[in-house]
């Protein structure tokens, strides 16, 4: 993190111009013949050149300051898989009174035909807008006449009323880039905190003085002219088990610190947490709603009348709020309506539900606080200085004695004290109505736990029949309950499950604790599957890995520059006992395996044996950490590789004569 301070140079000598735009349509044969092996031989497309500039100007129509952002890019497409880069989406901010607009859009496809480049301009009618949310709309367009080997090019000007974040520049995309340049003109009256995120570093950076770049209230204002340059940028490859890609892509971010007007008065936009605490606790859509325990003073006593202690009271209130108010799937730290209205309407956003919960807990004389956070897909909070808009979610924190419980009423199928995985994102800020706020780690209070137990026997016609019992806890139970609830009944769920299991047939089933979310979810299935067709009963193969077999390595990158974030630790155990009835010898079998990740990060244990006529398998797969750092990635990759290789081996059984 660094801060840009604006200054006047004593010398009038300017630095050499560093960044410059390129002419639209200036496609060369070198562009067409660019060898992707210079960057990535597997790339489906490559950004040949990308240039952007941002500056502040006065809007002649409104007299207000606005940000002008010009963008221009040229992309080489190598194959049909690269065609997706011709589907362009530009997000635009909007609210009730202001919005970002796009002007001067140009887009063309260039194909090399009979020794010359033929341009196919995009029809302006091919553009359309989509409202994504209350504050975001999307401009979408697709470039025409795509072929393998095409070069696409587009440019536009974006006008924005938002000066606080200036304009973020992403150096890193899902495809590699040859060169990416960003030129900004920042008036000397503005002071921004600037940060470069990501693994890739700038190739170069230059600062110049641009005199009289802005005239404001009759005064000429100089600008800092700053160029950021990055070359030979590898693609950012997304893989499973990660938080928001914006946490890790190489990009430049700006956040306004303060503004000095021409008269010398300074307005600070970088707040302290003391400022934020006051702002939130006094806000009518946040703190005022936390204080509304009066609304529950007549409701809560009847709810908790039979509760013997504070923990039981809290659990009863938690269940009550979950049943009374349904989440409308909208995020936010502020209530869309006051808590009474959302209670009456039986619906509300995240803040409506969880500030209702806090008020109800407080009405029962329980110590409840609010925790504001940023969800996994929203990105990690910059903790050096508070920016309220970075937070998009709020939950409750309940303190009983020396224990604390994190609560979220949006998910009826989650047990008491377990937050949704979307909340497992670094740290949250605890907001108390009377005390200063503080940071808290967002860690899962339970593991993802699943136990499978199969007791079966081999029949004379080559089938295994038996009982498969599955016991799920923590996030595993939540995921399974959510899956079952998609269907009209558990019977329909099992029917569809039976259809999906090609080799296994379910004859009977029993599912317990489906709605008792604080208890383990238990499923019992009477199953059968064929292991041999009867043509050779004396000798046959049997694969023991038919329950959650691992056939694909989830970690395939040569290098991963961002953490593996599972959200929670996990524990999976499989026990299989099969009565073969007759005596068999085991000619081949997967080798017993005991491997571990460094620093007690996890383990895999496999043990198989044939004892008399009982064939048994015991398997444990544990990940003891929720997050593994990039330097641990090779160990995870090798860990899975060894498991997969071993699971390719089957039992070879031969009946004793």
């Amino acid at each position: 993190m660094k801060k840009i301070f604006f200054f006047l140079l004593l010398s009038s000598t300017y630095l050499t111009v560093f960044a410059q735009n390129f002419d639209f349509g200036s496609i060369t044969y070198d562009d067409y013949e660019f060898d992707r092996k210079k960057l990535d031989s597997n790339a489906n497309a490559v950004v040949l050149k990308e240039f952007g500039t941002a500056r502040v100007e006065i809007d002649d129509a409104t007299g207000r300051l606005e940000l002008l952002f010009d963008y221009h890019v040229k992309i080489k497409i190598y194959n049909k898989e690269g065609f997706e880069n011709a589907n362009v989406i530009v997000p635009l901010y909007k609210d009730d009174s202001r919005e970002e607009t796009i002007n001067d859009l140009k887009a063309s496809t260039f194909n090399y035909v009979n020794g010359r480049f033929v341009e196919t301009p995009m029809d302006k009618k091919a553009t359309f807008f989509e409202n994504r949310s209350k504050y975001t709309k999307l401009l979408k367009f697709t470039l025409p006449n795509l072929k393998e080997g095409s070069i696409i090019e587009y440019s536009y000007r974006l006008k924005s009323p938002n000066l606080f974040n200036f304009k973020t520049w992403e150096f890193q995309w899902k495809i590699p880039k040859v060169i990416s340049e960003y030129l900004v003109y920042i008036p000397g009256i503005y002071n921004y905190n600037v940060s470069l995120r990501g693994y890739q570093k700038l190739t170069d950076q230059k600062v110049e003085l641009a005199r009289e770049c802005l005239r404001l209230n009759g005064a000429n204002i100089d600008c800092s002219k700053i160029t950021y340059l990055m070359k030979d940028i590898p693609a950012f490859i997304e893989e499973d088990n990660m938080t928001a890609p914006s946490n890790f892509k190489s990009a430049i971010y700006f956040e306004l610190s303060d503004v000095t007007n021409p008269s010398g008065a300074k307005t600070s936009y970088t707040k302290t947490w003391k400022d934020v605490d006051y702002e939130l606790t006094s806000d009518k859509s946040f703190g005022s709603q936390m204080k509304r325990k009066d609304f529950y003073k007549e409701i809560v006593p009847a709810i908790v009348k039979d509760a013997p202690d504070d923990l039981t009271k809290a659990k009863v209130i938690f269940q009550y709020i979950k049943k009374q108010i349904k989440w409308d799937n909208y995020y936010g730290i502020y209530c869309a309506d006051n808590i009474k209205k959302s209670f009456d309407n039986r619906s509300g956003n995240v803040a409506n539900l969880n500030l209702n919960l806090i008020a109800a807990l407080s009405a029962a004389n329980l110590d409840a606080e609010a925790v504001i956070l940023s969800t996994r897909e929203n990105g990690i909070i910059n903790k050096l200085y508070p920016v309220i808009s970075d937070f998009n979610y709020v939950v409750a924190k309940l303190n009983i004695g020396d224990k604390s419980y994190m609560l979220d009423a949006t998910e009826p199928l989650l047990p008491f004290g377990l937050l949704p995985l979307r909340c497992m994102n670094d740290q949250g800020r605890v907001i108390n109505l009377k005390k200063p706020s503080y940071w808290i780690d967002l860690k899962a209070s339970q593991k993802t736990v699943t136990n499978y137990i199969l007791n079966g026997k081999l029949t004379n016609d080559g089938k295994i029949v038996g009982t498969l019992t599955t016991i799920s806890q923590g996030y595993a139970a939540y995921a399974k309950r959510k899956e079952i609830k998609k269907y009209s009944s558990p019977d329909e769920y099992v029917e569809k499950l039976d259809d999906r299991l090609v080799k296994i047939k379910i004859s009977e089933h029993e599912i317990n604790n489906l709605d008792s979310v604080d208890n383990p979810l238990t499923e019992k299935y009477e199953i059968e599957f064929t292991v041999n067709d009867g043509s050779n009963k004396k000798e046959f193969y049997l694969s023991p890995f038919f329950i959650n077999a691992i056939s694909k390595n989830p970690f395939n990158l040569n290098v991963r520059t961002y953490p593996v974030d599972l959200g929670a630790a996990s524990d999976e155990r499989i026990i299989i006992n099969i009565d073969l009835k007759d005596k068999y010898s085991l000619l081949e079998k997967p080798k017993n395996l005991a491997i571990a990740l460094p620093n007690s990060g996890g383990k895999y244990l496999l043990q198989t044996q044939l004892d008399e006529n009982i064939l048994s398998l015991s398997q444990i797969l544990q990940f003891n950490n929720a997050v593994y750092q990039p330097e641990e990635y090779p160990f995870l990759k090798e860990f899975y590789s060894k498991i997969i290789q071993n699971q390719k081996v089957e039992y070879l059984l031969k009946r004793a004569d």
Side-chain angles (χ1 to χ4, degrees):
M1 170 69 64
K2 59 182 177 180
K3 185 175 284 190
I4 291 180
F5 296 95
F6 301 103
F7 51 86
L8 297 177
L9 297 180
L10 297 177
S11 170
S12 61
T13 304
Y14 286 9
L15 296 175
T16 303
V17 174
F18 183 67
Q20 53 188 328
N21 202 349
F22 51 101
D23 294 332
F24 193 95
S26 57
I27 309 299
T28 68
Y29 189 72
D30 287 341
D31 292 334
Y32 181 72
E33 287 293 317
F34 182 80
D35 186 359
R36 57 182 167 176
K37 292 180 182 178
K38 295 178 181 178
L39 293 177
D40 182 350
S41 60
N42 295 317
N44 299 315
V46 169
V47 172
L48 300 173
K49 191 163 187 177
E50 179 187 43
F51 179 82
T53 183
R55 62 189 184 277
V56 177
E57 289 189 358
I58 294 179
D59 186 299
D60 293 333
T62 64
R64 296 176 180 174
L65 289 173
E66 65 179 4
L67 180 72
L68 295 184
F69 172 69
D70 291 307
Y71 181 76
H72 189 182
V73 67
K74 181 166 55 176
I75 302 172
K76 166 73 174 180
I77 294 176
Y78 291 93
N79 50 41
K80 290 181 179 179
E81 287 74 18
F83 284 7
E84 65 178 3
N85 294 281
N87 300 319
V88 183
I89 299 175
V90 182
L92 301 170
Y93 171 83
K94 67 182 179 73
D95 59 27
D96 295 334
S97 60
R98 307 177 305 161
E99 66 177 359
E100 293 179 334
T101 60
I102 290 287
N103 304 103
D104 303 330
L105 173 63
K106 290 198 296 185
S108 292
T109 301
F110 297 87
N111 291 303
Y112 194 65
V113 181
N114 297 328
R116 66 185 185 91
F117 287 104
V118 177
E119 178 180 3
T120 307
M122 181 189 72
D123 188 339
K124 295 293 178 64
K125 295 179 181 179
T127 64
F128 66 96
F129 291 93
E130 174 189 319
N131 285 318
R132 172 56 59 89
S133 69
K134 182 179 180 181
Y135 298 107
T136 305
K137 69 176 181 179
L138 305 177
L139 167 65
K140 294 185 174 183
F141 59 89
T142 299
L143 285 96
N145 196 23
L146 294 175
K147 300 178 182 178
E148 294 185 352
S150 293
I151 293 173
I152 61 173
E153 185 174 9
Y154 58 90
S155 64
Y156 58 82
R157 170 169 291 182
L158 182 149
K159 292 185 177 183
S160 173
N162 293 328
L163 301 183
F164 182 82
N165 292 110
F166 207 65
K167 188 63 181 177
T168 299
W169 181 264
E170 282 193 358
F171 287 105
Q172 205 168 20
W173 276 10
K174 59 185 176 182
I175 59 174
K177 297 181 181 180
V178 178
I179 185 168
S180 179
E181 297 180 82
Y182 189 35
L183 171 61
V184 298
Y185 293 86
I186 303 183
I189 60 173
Y190 288 92
N191 185 15
Y192 283 88
N193 296 308
V194 182
S195 60
L196 173 65
R197 297 184 193 171
Y199 182 75
Q200 304 300 316
K201 304 303 179 185
L202 291 172
T203 303
D204 209 343
Q205 175 182 345
K206 294 202 182 287
V207 181
E208 308 173 60
L209 176 66
R211 293 194 180 278
E212 301 180 2
C213 72
L214 178 66
R215 186 172 178 81
L216 185 62
N217 297 329
N220 291 320
I221 299 169
D222 295 336
C223 284
S224 284
K225 178 183 176 182
I226 311 169
T227 303
Y228 303 98
L229 174 68
M230 195 176 286
K231 293 182 177 180
D232 301 332
I233 311 165
F236 183 85
I237 307 298
E238 295 185 30
E239 203 174 41
D240 290 341
N241 302 310
M242 64 179 292
T243 54
S246 60
N247 292 333
F248 313 111
K249 287 181 180 178
S250 292
I252 289 281
Y253 290 84
F254 301 81
E255 287 181 336
L256 186 60
S257 173
D258 55 72
V259 177
T260 304
N261 67 34
S263 66
K266 180 182 287 189
T267 301
S268 177
Y269 290 87
T270 301
K271 302 176 181 179
T272 65
W273 273 110
K274 186 177 181 180
D275 298 328
V276 172
D277 291 352
Y278 175 78
E279 183 176 332
L280 286 175
T281 55
S282 59
D283 192 285
K284 66 179 183 179
S285 297
F286 189 90
S288 296
Q289 303 307 311
M290 291 176 64
K291 300 170 186 175
R292 290 291 307 274
K293 65 180 181 180
D294 59 301
F295 170 62
Y296 282 97
K297 66 180 181 181
E298 294 182 0
I299 301 174
V300 164
I303 299 171
V304 302
K305 61 182 178 65
D306 296 325
D309 52 49
D310 285 348
L311 182 57
T312 307
K313 286 181 183 178
K315 289 183 176 181
V316 171
I317 292 170
F318 182 58
Q319 291 299 325
Y320 178 79
I321 296 297
K322 287 199 296 181
K323 288 180 179 179
Q324 292 299 314
I325 312 173
K326 184 179 180 181
W327 181 38
D328 62 11
N329 292 318
Y330 280 98
Y331 290 4
I333 66 171
Y334 298 106
C335 289
D337 296 306
N338 62 62
I339 64 170
K340 182 181 184 304
K341 189 172 182 180
S342 59
F343 182 90
D344 292 340
N345 292 337
R346 299 293 189 261
S347 176
N349 67 5
V350 165
N352 285 122
L353 268 75
N354 287 326
L355 297 187
N356 258 291
L357 175 60
I358 291 170
L361 292 169
S362 300
N365 296 318
L366 298 173
D367 180 14
E369 303 170 291
V371 181
I372 56 175
L373 58 90
S374 173
T375 54
R376 290 166 72 89
E377 70 274 14
N378 192 54
I380 292 176
I381 295 298
N382 182 347
K383 294 189 283 291
L384 292 180
Y385 43 86
V387 179
I388 295 180
S389 59
D390 285 349
F391 297 88
N392 71 330
Y393 207 93
V394 59
V395 298
K397 178 175 179 284
L398 173 68
N399 307 303
I400 299 178
D402 59 353
K403 290 187 177 181
S404 294
Y405 304 88
M406 303 287 277
L407 305 174
D408 182 359
T410 65
E411 299 287 354
L413 299 177
L414 274 177
F416 183 89
L418 189 63
L419 292 181
L421 276 174
R422 58 178 171 267
C423 297
M424 298 297 102
N425 192 31
D426 193 40
Q427 290 186 313
R429 190 80 179 184
V430 181
I431 307 296
N432 189 293
L433 291 174
K434 298 179 180 179
K435 301 176 184 177
S437 64
Y438 59 94
W439 292 108
I440 185 172
D441 290 336
L442 297 171
K443 295 182 178 180
S445 60
Q446 298 182 31
K447 292 182 178 182
T448 299
V449 179
T450 312
N451 293 326
Y452 300 92
I453 303 169
L454 172 64
N455 290 311
K457 61 183 179 180
L458 182 65
T459 65
N460 293 331
D461 55 357
K463 294 181 179 179
I464 289 177
V465 297
T467 303
L468 174 62
T469 303
T470 303
I471 304 170
S472 306
Q473 300 178 65
Y475 290 111
Y478 166 71
K480 184 62 69 70
R481 286 185 171 106
K482 197 170 183 180
E483 177 66 20
I484 295 172
K485 289 288 187 177
K486 288 180 182 178
Y487 298 90
S488 60
S489 67
D491 289 345
E492 184 184 354
Y493 163 76
V494 175
E495 181 182 337
K496 298 298 183 182
L497 178 64
D498 191 31
D499 292 341
R500 293 198 303 268
L501 298 174
V502 179
K503 296 182 179 180
I504 299 177
K505 181 176 177 55
I506 300 174
S507 57
E508 295 182 26
H509 68 273
E510 179 184 335
I511 299 177
N512 296 316
N513 295 327
L514 180 59
D515 295 310
S516 301
V517 298
D518 290 320
N519 297 316
L521 176 68
T522 302
E523 306 163 76
K524 287 186 177 181
Y525 300 104
E526 297 300 322
I527 65 169
E528 68 173 49
F529 59 96
T530 301
V531 295
N532 69 74
D533 59 6
S535 59
N536 187 355
K537 295 182 179 180
K538 292 186 176 180
E539 186 174 305
F540 60 91
Y541 281 97
L542 168 63
S543 174
F545 305 108
F546 53 86
I547 300 174
N548 274 11
I550 302 174
S551 58
K552 183 180 179 182
N553 196 326
F555 307 116
N556 293 305
L557 300 179
N558 292 328
V559 177
R560 178 160 163 162
T561 57
Y562 49 91
V564 172
D565 193 326
L566 306 175
S570 64
D571 189 313
E572 178 186 273
R573 298 174 185 240
I574 299 173
I575 295 175
I576 297 174
N577 293 301
I578 299 173
D579 185 350
L580 301 176
K581 293 178 65 178
D582 299 321
K583 287 194 174 182
Y584 284 82
S585 57
L586 201 53
L587 303 182
E588 297 176 14
K589 75 179 188 72
K591 65 179 179 180
N592 291 338
L593 198 60
I595 54 177
L597 291 168
N599 303 316
S600 301
K603 65 182 180 181
Y604 175 79
L605 303 176
L606 175 69
Q607 186 172 13
T608 66
Q609 65 180 25
L610 179 60
D611 185 7
E612 293 295 329
N613 59 328
I614 302 297
L615 182 65
S616 62
L617 174 143
S618 174
Q619 178 178 282
I620 299 174
L621 177 61
Q622 284 183 349
F623 292 98
N624 297 327
N625 301 333
V627 180
Y628 295 86
Q629 297 307 316
E631 57 269 22
E632 298 177 284
Y633 183 79
F635 300 107
L636 286 167
K637 187 176 180 180
E638 180 63 19
F639 182 75
Y640 266 96
S641 179
K642 289 180 178 178
I643 295 172
I644 291 169
Q645 289 302 313
N646 201 45
Q647 289 196 358
K648 290 180 179 179
V649 181
E650 298 181 325
Y651 292 125
L652 176 56
L653 294 160
K654 183 176 182 180
R655 191 167 67 184
D657 293 330

